[in-house]
Amino acid sequence: MDFFGSDEILVMFVPILVYWIYSGIYEVLSPSEKYRLHSRRDEDIKNLVSKRDVLKGVLFQQAIQATISLVACKMSGQDAEAAASSDTSLLTVARQFFVAMVVFDTWQYFVHRYMHLNRFLYRNIHSWHHRIVAPYAFAAQYNHPIDGIVTETLAGAMAFFISGMSTRTSILFFSFATIKGIDDHCGLMLPWNPFHMLFRNNTAYHDIHHQLAGSKCNFAQPFFVMWDKILGTYVPYTIERRVGGGFEARIAKPLA
C-alpha cells in the first residue's frame, strides 16, 4: 500500500498525467488559425503518420519511460525517510534544477545530432520523430522506442543522478521538462507564453529543425541553445505572418 502513495509511483505517473493535460489544453486552442505556425491543412497533408498512430506510439513510449523511472528510483536507494529529510531549500532545488537542465540538454544535443549524422540511425530510428513535419502538442514524445529510451529517458536518468536531486524534487523537474517539450512542439505562437520570454529555445526554434531545410541545425532541446551556438549548428530565424492567418517560422539566412 505504501508503494502506491510513494514518491516512486508519483515520479512514474505525474509527468505522464501532466503530458496529457497540458497537451490537451493546446489541442483545445489549436483549431484557431490565429497563432498557428502551420495551418490545419498543412498538419493533415504534411505529416506522415496519423494522429491515432501517434497516440499509440506515445503511450507505448510512456510505458517504457515509467518503468525506467521506477528502476532509476530504486537504484538511487532513496527511501521515504531520506526523501523527507533531504535539503529542499529554494537555493538547493534551484541549483539541482539548473544542473539537471544542463545535463539533460547536453545529453540530448549530442545524441540527437548523432542520430542525424548517422544515416542508418536516422533512417531506421530518428526519422520516426520527423514524420511530424508540422508539429502539434501531443506528438512531442512520438519517437521510435529506441530513440525515446536513448535520447529522452536516459537523458532524464543522467540529469537525476548527476544533479543529486531527491525523488520528490525529480517529480517537479520531470513535469517541468515534460511541459517544456510539449511547448516546443505545440505549433502555436501564443503572445502570452512565458516560455517564449524565458527561453530562446522555443516553439519556433524547434519548428525550424522539423522543416526539411532546417533538419541539420537547431539540434538543441529542450531548454538552452548553447550547444548549437558553441558548435556552429545554430541558425537564426524570423517569424512572419502567414497568408490566410497565423505565423510561419523561416530560416533568416540561406544555409551553406
Coordinates of all heavy atoms in Angstrom, one line a residue, residues 91-162:
L91 N 17.3 27.5 -2.7 CA 18.6 27.6 -3.3 C 19.1 26.2 -3.8 O 19.6 26.0 -4.9 CB 19.6 28.2 -2.4 CG 21.0 28.4 -2.9 CD1 20.9 29.4 -4.1 CD2 21.9 29.0 -1.8
T92 N 18.9 25.2 -3.0 CA 19.3 23.8 -3.3 C 18.6 23.3 -4.5 O 19.1 22.7 -5.5 CB 19.2 22.9 -2.1 OG1 20.1 23.3 -1.1 CG2 19.6 21.4 -2.5
V93 N 17.2 23.4 -4.5 CA 16.4 22.9 -5.5 C 16.7 23.7 -6.8 O 16.8 23.1 -7.9 CB 14.9 23.1 -5.2 CG1 14.0 22.8 -6.4 CG2 14.6 22.1 -4.0
A94 N 16.9 25.0 -6.8 CA 17.3 25.8 -8.0 C 18.6 25.3 -8.6 O 18.7 25.2 -9.8 CB 17.3 27.3 -7.6
R95 N 19.6 25.0 -7.7 CA 20.9 24.5 -8.2 C 20.7 23.2 -8.9 O 21.2 22.9 -9.9 CB 21.9 24.4 -7.0 CG 23.2 23.8 -7.4 CD 24.1 23.7 -6.2 NE 23.5 22.9 -5.1 CZ 23.5 21.6 -5.0 NH1 23.9 20.9 -6.0 NH2 22.9 21.0 -4.0
Q96 N 19.9 22.3 -8.2 CA 19.7 21.0 -8.8 C 18.9 21.1 -10.1 O 19.3 20.3 -11.1 CB 18.9 20.1 -7.8 CG 19.7 19.7 -6.6 CD 18.9 19.1 -5.5 OE1 17.7 19.2 -5.5 NE2 19.5 18.4 -4.6
F97 N 18.0 21.9 -10.2 CA 17.2 22.1 -11.5 C 18.2 22.6 -12.6 O 18.1 22.1 -13.7 CB 16.1 23.2 -11.3 CG 14.8 22.6 -11.1 CD1 14.5 21.7 -10.1 CD2 13.7 22.9 -12.0 CE1 13.2 21.1 -9.9 CE2 12.5 22.3 -11.9 CZ 12.2 21.4 -10.9
F98 N 19.0 23.6 -12.2 CA 19.9 24.1 -13.3 C 20.9 23.0 -13.7 O 21.1 22.9 -14.9 CB 20.7 25.3 -12.7 CG 21.7 25.9 -13.7 CD1 21.2 26.6 -14.8 CD2 23.0 25.7 -13.6 CE1 22.1 27.2 -15.7 CE2 23.9 26.2 -14.5 CZ 23.4 27.0 -15.6
V99 N 21.5 22.3 -12.8 CA 22.4 21.2 -13.2 C 21.7 20.2 -14.0 O 22.2 19.7 -15.1 CB 23.0 20.6 -11.9 CG1 23.8 19.3 -12.3 CG2 24.0 21.5 -11.2
A100 N 20.5 19.8 -13.6 CA 19.7 18.8 -14.4 C 19.4 19.3 -15.8 O 19.5 18.6 -16.7 CB 18.4 18.5 -13.6
M101 N 19.1 20.6 -15.9 CA 18.8 21.2 -17.2 C 20.0 21.1 -18.1 O 19.9 20.8 -19.3 CB 18.3 22.6 -17.0 CG 16.9 22.7 -16.4 SD 16.4 24.4 -15.8 CE 16.2 25.2 -17.4
V102 N 21.2 21.5 -17.6 CA 22.4 21.5 -18.4 C 22.7 20.0 -18.8 O 23.1 19.8 -20.0 CB 23.5 22.1 -17.7 CG1 24.9 21.9 -18.4 CG2 23.3 23.6 -17.4
V103 N 22.6 19.1 -17.9 CA 22.9 17.7 -18.2 C 21.9 17.1 -19.2 O 22.3 16.5 -20.2 CB 22.9 16.8 -16.9 CG1 23.0 15.3 -17.3 CG2 24.0 17.2 -16.0
F104 N 20.7 17.4 -19.0 CA 19.6 17.0 -19.9 C 19.9 17.5 -21.4 O 19.8 16.8 -22.3 CB 18.3 17.5 -19.4 CG 17.1 16.8 -19.9 CD1 16.6 15.7 -19.2 CD2 16.4 17.2 -21.0 CE1 15.4 15.0 -19.6 CE2 15.2 16.5 -21.4 CZ 14.8 15.4 -20.7
D105 N 20.2 18.8 -21.5 CA 20.4 19.4 -22.8 C 21.7 18.8 -23.4 O 21.7 18.6 -24.6 CB 20.6 20.9 -22.6 CG 19.3 21.7 -22.9 OD1 18.2 21.2 -22.6 OD2 19.4 22.8 -23.4
T106 N 22.7 18.6 -22.6 CA 24.0 18.2 -23.2 C 23.8 16.8 -23.7 O 24.2 16.5 -24.9 CB 25.1 18.2 -22.1 OG1 25.2 19.5 -21.6 CG2 26.4 17.6 -22.6
W107 N 23.2 15.9 -23.0 CA 23.0 14.5 -23.5 C 22.1 14.5 -24.7 O 22.5 13.9 -25.7 CB 22.3 13.7 -22.4 CG 22.0 12.3 -22.8 CD1 20.9 11.8 -23.5 CD2 22.8 11.1 -22.5 NE1 21.0 10.5 -23.7 CE2 22.2 10.0 -23.1 CE3 24.0 10.9 -21.9 CZ2 22.7 8.7 -23.0 CZ3 24.6 9.6 -21.8 CH2 23.9 8.6 -22.4
Q108 N 21.0 15.3 -24.7 CA 20.1 15.3 -25.8 C 20.8 15.9 -27.1 O 20.6 15.4 -28.2 CB 18.8 16.0 -25.5 CG 17.9 15.3 -24.5 CD 16.4 15.5 -24.9 OE1 16.1 16.3 -25.7 NE2 15.6 14.7 -24.2
Y109 N 21.6 17.0 -26.9 CA 22.2 17.6 -28.1 C 23.1 16.6 -28.8 O 22.9 16.4 -30.0 CB 23.0 18.8 -27.7 CG 23.7 19.4 -28.9 CD1 23.1 20.3 -29.7 CD2 25.0 19.0 -29.2 CE1 23.7 20.8 -30.8 CE2 25.6 19.5 -30.3 CZ 25.0 20.4 -31.1 OH 25.6 20.9 -32.3
F110 N 24.0 15.9 -28.1 CA 25.0 15.1 -28.8 C 24.3 13.8 -29.3 O 24.7 13.4 -30.4 CB 26.1 14.8 -27.8 CG 27.0 16.0 -27.6 CD1 26.9 16.8 -26.5 CD2 27.9 16.4 -28.6 CE1 27.7 17.9 -26.3 CE2 28.7 17.5 -28.5 CZ 28.6 18.2 -27.3
V111 N 23.4 13.2 -28.6 CA 22.7 12.0 -29.1 C 21.8 12.4 -30.3 O 21.8 11.7 -31.3 CB 21.9 11.3 -28.0 CG1 21.1 10.2 -28.6 CG2 22.8 10.8 -26.9
H112 N 21.1 13.5 -30.1 CA 20.2 13.9 -31.2 C 21.0 14.3 -32.5 O 20.6 13.8 -33.6 CB 19.4 15.2 -30.7 CG 18.4 15.7 -31.7 ND1 17.9 17.0 -31.5 CD2 17.8 15.2 -32.7 CE1 17.0 17.2 -32.5 NE2 17.0 16.1 -33.3
R113 N 22.1 15.0 -32.3 CA 22.9 15.3 -33.5 C 23.4 14.1 -34.2 O 23.4 14.0 -35.4 CB 24.0 16.3 -33.1 CG 24.8 16.8 -34.3 CD 25.8 17.8 -33.9 NE 26.5 18.3 -35.1 CZ 27.5 19.2 -35.1 NH1 27.9 19.7 -33.9 NH2 28.1 19.5 -36.2
Y114 N 23.9 13.1 -33.4 CA 24.5 11.9 -34.0 C 23.4 11.1 -34.7 O 23.7 10.5 -35.7 CB 25.1 11.1 -32.9 CG 25.9 9.9 -33.4 CD1 27.0 10.1 -34.2 CD2 25.4 8.6 -33.3 CE1 27.7 9.0 -34.8 CE2 26.1 7.5 -33.8 CZ 27.2 7.7 -34.6 OH 27.9 6.6 -35.1
M115 N 22.2 11.2 -34.2 CA 21.0 10.5 -34.8 C 20.8 11.0 -36.2 O 20.4 10.3 -37.2 CB 19.8 10.6 -34.0 CG 19.7 9.8 -32.8 SD 19.3 8.1 -33.1 CE 19.1 7.5 -31.4
H116 N 21.1 12.3 -36.4 CA 21.0 12.9 -37.8 C 22.2 12.6 -38.6 O 22.1 12.5 -39.9 CB 20.8 14.4 -37.6 CG 19.4 14.8 -37.4 ND1 18.5 15.1 -38.3 CD2 18.8 14.9 -36.2 CE1 17.3 15.5 -37.8 NE2 17.5 15.3 -36.5
L117 N 23.4 12.6 -38.0 CA 24.6 12.4 -38.8 C 24.8 10.9 -39.3 O 25.3 10.7 -40.4 CB 25.9 12.8 -38.0 CG 26.0 14.2 -37.6 CD1 27.2 14.5 -36.7 CD2 26.1 15.1 -38.9
N118 N 24.3 10.0 -38.5 CA 24.4 8.6 -38.9 C 23.2 8.2 -39.7 O 22.1 8.1 -39.2 CB 24.5 7.7 -37.6 CG 24.7 6.2 -37.9 OD1 23.9 5.6 -38.5 ND2 25.9 5.7 -37.4
R119 N 23.5 7.9 -41.0 CA 22.3 7.6 -41.9 C 21.5 6.4 -41.4 O 20.3 6.4 -41.6 CB 22.9 7.3 -43.3 CG 23.5 8.6 -43.9 CD 23.9 8.3 -45.4 NE 24.5 9.5 -46.0 CZ 24.9 9.5 -47.2 NH1 24.8 8.4 -48.0 NH2 25.4 10.6 -47.7
F120 N 22.1 5.4 -40.9 CA 21.4 4.2 -40.5 C 20.5 4.5 -39.3 O 19.3 4.2 -39.3 CB 22.4 3.1 -40.1 CG 21.6 1.8 -39.5 CD1 21.1 0.9 -40.4 CD2 21.5 1.7 -38.2 CE1 20.4 -0.2 -39.9 CE2 20.8 0.6 -37.6 CZ 20.3 -0.4 -38.5
L121 N 21.0 5.2 -38.3 CA 20.2 5.6 -37.2 C 19.1 6.5 -37.6 O 18.0 6.4 -37.0 CB 21.1 6.2 -36.1 CG 22.1 5.3 -35.4 CD1 22.9 6.1 -34.4 CD2 21.4 4.1 -34.7
Y122 N 19.4 7.5 -38.5 CA 18.3 8.4 -38.9 C 17.2 7.7 -39.6 O 16.0 7.8 -39.3 CB 18.9 9.6 -39.7 CG 17.8 10.5 -40.0 CD1 17.4 11.5 -39.1 CD2 17.0 10.5 -41.2 CE1 16.3 12.4 -39.4 CE2 16.0 11.3 -41.5 CZ 15.7 12.3 -40.6 OH 14.6 13.1 -40.9
R123 N 17.6 6.9 -40.6 CA 16.6 6.2 -41.5 C 15.7 5.3 -40.7 O 14.5 5.2 -40.9 CB 17.3 5.5 -42.6 CG 16.4 4.9 -43.7 CD 17.2 4.1 -44.7 NE 18.2 4.9 -45.3 CZ 19.5 4.7 -45.2 NH1 19.9 3.7 -44.5 NH2 20.4 5.5 -45.8
N124 N 16.4 4.5 -39.8 CA 15.6 3.4 -39.1 C 15.1 3.8 -37.8 O 14.2 3.1 -37.3 CB 16.6 2.2 -39.0 CG 16.9 1.6 -40.3 OD1 16.2 0.9 -40.9 ND2 18.2 1.9 -40.7
I125 N 15.6 4.9 -37.2 CA 15.1 5.2 -35.8 C 14.6 6.6 -35.7 O 13.4 6.9 -35.4 CB 16.3 4.9 -34.8 CG1 16.6 3.4 -34.8 CG2 15.9 5.4 -33.4 CD1 17.7 3.1 -33.9
H126 N 15.5 7.6 -35.9 CA 15.1 9.0 -35.6 C 14.1 9.6 -36.6 O 13.3 10.5 -36.3 CB 16.3 9.9 -35.5 CG 16.0 11.3 -35.0 ND1 15.5 11.5 -33.7 CD2 16.1 12.5 -35.6 CE1 15.3 12.8 -33.5 NE2 15.7 13.4 -34.6
S127 N 14.1 9.0 -37.8 CA 13.1 9.6 -38.8 C 11.7 9.4 -38.3 O 10.8 10.1 -38.8 CB 13.3 8.8 -40.1 OG 13.0 7.5 -40.0
W128 N 11.4 8.5 -37.4 CA 10.0 8.4 -36.9 C 9.6 9.7 -36.3 O 8.4 10.2 -36.6 CB 10.0 7.4 -35.7 CG 9.9 5.9 -36.1 CD1 10.6 5.3 -37.1 CD2 9.2 4.9 -35.5 NE1 10.3 4.0 -37.2 CE2 9.4 3.7 -36.2 CE3 8.4 4.9 -34.3 CZ2 8.9 2.5 -35.8 CZ3 7.8 3.7 -34.0 CH2 8.0 2.5 -34.7
H129 N 10.4 10.4 -35.6 CA 10.0 11.7 -35.0 C 9.8 12.7 -36.1 O 8.9 13.6 -35.9 CB 11.1 12.2 -34.0 CG 10.7 13.4 -33.2 ND1 9.7 13.4 -32.3 CD2 11.2 14.7 -33.2 CE1 9.5 14.6 -31.8 NE2 10.5 15.4 -32.4
H130 N 10.6 12.6 -37.1 CA 10.5 13.6 -38.2 C 9.4 13.3 -39.2 O 9.2 14.0 -40.2 CB 11.8 13.8 -38.9 CG 12.7 14.7 -38.1 ND1 12.7 16.1 -38.1 CD2 13.6 14.3 -37.1 CE1 13.6 16.5 -37.3 NE2 14.2 15.5 -36.6
R131 N 8.6 12.2 -38.9 CA 7.4 12.1 -39.7 C 6.4 13.2 -39.4 O 5.5 13.5 -40.1 CB 6.7 10.7 -39.3 CG 7.5 9.5 -39.8 CD 6.9 8.2 -39.2 NE 7.6 7.0 -39.6 CZ 7.4 5.8 -39.1 NH1 6.4 5.6 -38.3 NH2 8.1 4.8 -39.5
I132 N 6.6 13.9 -38.2 CA 5.8 15.0 -37.8 C 6.5 16.3 -38.4 O 7.5 16.8 -37.8 CB 5.7 15.1 -36.3 CG1 5.2 13.8 -35.7 CG2 4.8 16.3 -35.9 CD1 3.8 13.4 -36.2
V133 N 6.1 16.7 -39.6 CA 6.7 17.9 -40.2 C 6.0 19.1 -39.7 O 6.7 20.2 -39.6 CB 6.5 17.8 -41.8 CG1 7.1 19.0 -42.5 CG2 7.1 16.5 -42.3
A134 N 4.8 19.1 -39.4 CA 4.0 20.2 -38.8 C 3.7 19.8 -37.4 O 2.7 19.1 -37.1 CB 2.8 20.5 -39.6
P135 N 4.6 20.1 -36.4 CA 4.4 19.6 -35.0 C 3.1 20.1 -34.4 O 2.6 21.2 -34.6 CB 5.6 20.3 -34.3 CG 6.6 20.5 -35.4 CD 5.8 20.9 -36.6
Y136 N 2.6 19.2 -33.5 CA 1.5 19.6 -32.6 C 1.7 19.0 -31.2 O 2.6 18.1 -31.1 CB 0.2 19.1 -33.2 CG 0.1 17.6 -33.6 CD1 -0.3 16.7 -32.7 CD2 0.5 17.2 -34.9 CE1 -0.4 15.3 -33.0 CE2 0.4 15.9 -35.2 CZ 0.0 14.9 -34.3 OH -0.1 13.6 -34.7
A137 N 1.0 19.4 -30.3 CA 1.4 19.2 -28.8 C 1.5 17.7 -28.5 O 2.6 17.4 -27.9 CB 0.3 19.9 -28.0
F138 N 0.6 16.9 -28.7 CA 0.7 15.6 -28.1 C 1.6 14.6 -28.9 O 1.8 13.5 -28.6 CB -0.7 14.9 -27.8 CG -1.5 14.4 -29.0 CD1 -1.2 13.1 -29.5 CD2 -2.5 15.1 -29.6 CE1 -1.9 12.6 -30.6 CE2 -3.2 14.6 -30.7 CZ -2.9 13.3 -31.2
A139 N 2.2 15.2 -30.0 CA 3.2 14.4 -30.8 C 4.6 14.7 -30.2 O 5.5 14.1 -30.8 CB 3.1 14.8 -32.2
A140 N 4.7 15.4 -29.2 CA 6.1 15.8 -28.6 C 6.9 14.6 -28.3 O 8.1 14.5 -28.6 CB 5.9 16.7 -27.4
Q141 N 6.3 13.5 -27.8 CA 7.0 12.3 -27.4 C 6.8 11.2 -28.4 O 7.1 10.0 -28.0 CB 6.6 11.9 -26.0 CG 7.1 12.8 -24.9 CD 6.8 12.4 -23.5 OE1 6.2 11.3 -23.3 NE2 7.1 13.2 -22.5
Y142 N 6.5 11.5 -29.6 CA 6.3 10.4 -30.6 C 7.7 10.1 -31.2 O 8.3 11.0 -31.9 CB 5.4 10.9 -31.8 CG 5.3 9.8 -32.8 CD1 4.7 8.6 -32.6 CD2 5.9 10.0 -34.1 CE1 4.6 7.6 -33.6 CE2 5.9 9.0 -35.1 CZ 5.2 7.8 -34.8 OH 5.2 6.9 -35.8
N143 N 8.3 9.0 -30.8 CA 9.6 8.6 -31.2 C 9.6 7.0 -31.5 O 8.7 6.3 -31.0 CB 10.6 8.8 -30.1 CG 10.8 10.3 -29.7 OD1 11.2 11.1 -30.6 ND2 10.4 10.6 -28.5
H144 N 10.6 6.6 -32.2 CA 10.9 5.2 -32.2 C 11.3 4.8 -30.7 O 11.9 5.6 -30.0 CB 12.1 4.9 -33.1 CG 12.4 3.4 -33.3 ND1 13.0 2.6 -32.3 CD2 12.2 2.6 -34.4 CE1 13.1 1.4 -32.8 NE2 12.7 1.4 -34.0
P145 N 10.8 3.6 -30.2 CA 11.1 3.3 -28.8 C 12.6 3.4 -28.5 O 12.9 3.8 -27.3 CB 10.6 1.8 -28.7 CG 9.5 1.8 -29.8 CD 10.0 2.6 -30.9
I146 N 13.5 3.0 -29.3 CA 14.9 3.1 -29.0 C 15.3 4.5 -28.9 O 16.1 4.9 -28.0 CB 15.7 2.3 -30.1 CG1 15.5 0.8 -30.1 CG2 17.2 2.6 -29.9 CD1 16.2 0.1 -31.2
D147 N 14.8 5.4 -29.8 CA 15.1 6.8 -29.8 C 14.6 7.4 -28.4 O 15.3 8.2 -27.8 CB 14.5 7.5 -30.9 CG 15.0 8.9 -31.2 OD1 15.9 9.3 -30.4 OD2 14.5 9.6 -32.1
G148 N 13.4 7.0 -28.1 CA 12.8 7.5 -26.8 C 13.7 7.2 -25.6 O 13.9 8.0 -24.7
I149 N 14.1 5.9 -25.6 CA 14.9 5.5 -24.4 C 16.3 6.2 -24.4 O 16.7 6.8 -23.4 CB 15.1 4.0 -24.5 CG1 13.8 3.2 -24.3 CG2 16.2 3.5 -23.4 CD1 13.9 1.7 -24.5
V150 N 17.0 6.2 -25.6 CA 18.4 6.7 -25.6 C 18.4 8.2 -25.5 O 19.2 8.8 -24.8 CB 19.1 6.2 -26.9 CG1 20.5 6.8 -27.0 CG2 19.2 4.7 -26.9
T151 N 17.6 8.9 -26.3 CA 17.6 10.3 -26.3 C 16.9 11.0 -25.1 O 17.5 12.0 -24.6 CB 17.0 10.8 -27.6 OG1 17.6 10.1 -28.7 CG2 17.2 12.3 -27.8
E152 N 15.8 10.5 -24.7 CA 15.0 11.2 -23.7 C 15.1 10.6 -22.3 O 15.4 11.2 -21.3 CB 13.5 11.3 -24.2 CG 13.3 12.1 -25.4 CD 11.9 12.4 -25.7 OE1 11.0 12.0 -24.9 OE2 11.6 13.1 -26.7
T153 N 14.8 9.3 -22.3 CA 14.7 8.6 -20.9 C 16.1 8.6 -20.3 O 16.2 8.9 -19.1 CB 14.1 7.2 -21.0 OG1 12.8 7.3 -21.8 CG2 13.8 6.6 -19.7
L154 N 17.1 8.2 -21.0 CA 18.5 8.2 -20.4 C 18.9 9.6 -20.1 O 19.7 9.8 -19.1 CB 19.4 7.5 -21.4 CG 19.3 6.0 -21.5 CD1 20.4 5.4 -22.4 CD2 19.3 5.3 -20.1
A155 N 18.5 10.6 -20.9 CA 18.8 12.0 -20.5 C 18.3 12.3 -19.2 O 18.9 13.0 -18.3 CB 18.3 12.9 -21.6
G156 N 17.0 11.9 -18.9 CA 16.4 12.2 -17.6 C 17.1 11.5 -16.5 O 17.3 12.0 -15.4
A157 N 17.5 10.2 -16.8 CA 18.2 9.4 -15.7 C 19.5 10.1 -15.4 O 19.9 10.2 -14.2 CB 18.4 8.0 -16.2
M158 N 20.3 10.5 -16.4 CA 21.6 11.2 -16.2 C 21.3 12.5 -15.4 O 22.1 12.8 -14.4 CB 22.2 11.5 -17.5 CG 22.7 10.3 -18.3 SD 24.1 9.5 -17.6 CE 25.4 10.7 -18.1
A159 N 20.3 13.3 -15.7 CA 20.0 14.5 -15.0 C 19.7 14.3 -13.6 O 20.1 15.0 -12.7 CB 18.9 15.2 -15.7
F160 N 18.9 13.2 -13.3 CA 18.5 12.8 -12.0 C 19.7 12.5 -11.1 O 19.9 13.0 -10.0 CB 17.5 11.7 -12.0 CG 17.2 11.1 -10.7 CD1 16.4 11.8 -9.8 CD2 17.5 9.7 -10.4 CE1 16.1 11.2 -8.6 CE2 17.1 9.2 -9.2 CZ 16.4 9.9 -8.3
F161 N 20.6 11.6 -11.6 CA 21.7 11.1 -10.8 C 22.8 12.2 -10.6 O 23.3 12.4 -9.5 CB 22.3 9.9 -11.4 CG 21.5 8.6 -11.2 CD1 20.9 8.0 -12.3 CD2 21.2 8.1 -9.9 CE1 20.1 6.9 -12.1 CE2 20.5 7.0 -9.8 CZ 19.9 6.4 -10.8
I162 N 23.1 12.9 -11.7 CA 24.2 13.9 -11.6 C 23.8 15.1 -10.8 O 24.6 15.7 -10.0 CB 24.7 14.3 -13.0 CG1 25.3 13.1 -13.7 CG2 25.6 15.5 -12.9 CD1 25.7 13.4 -15.2

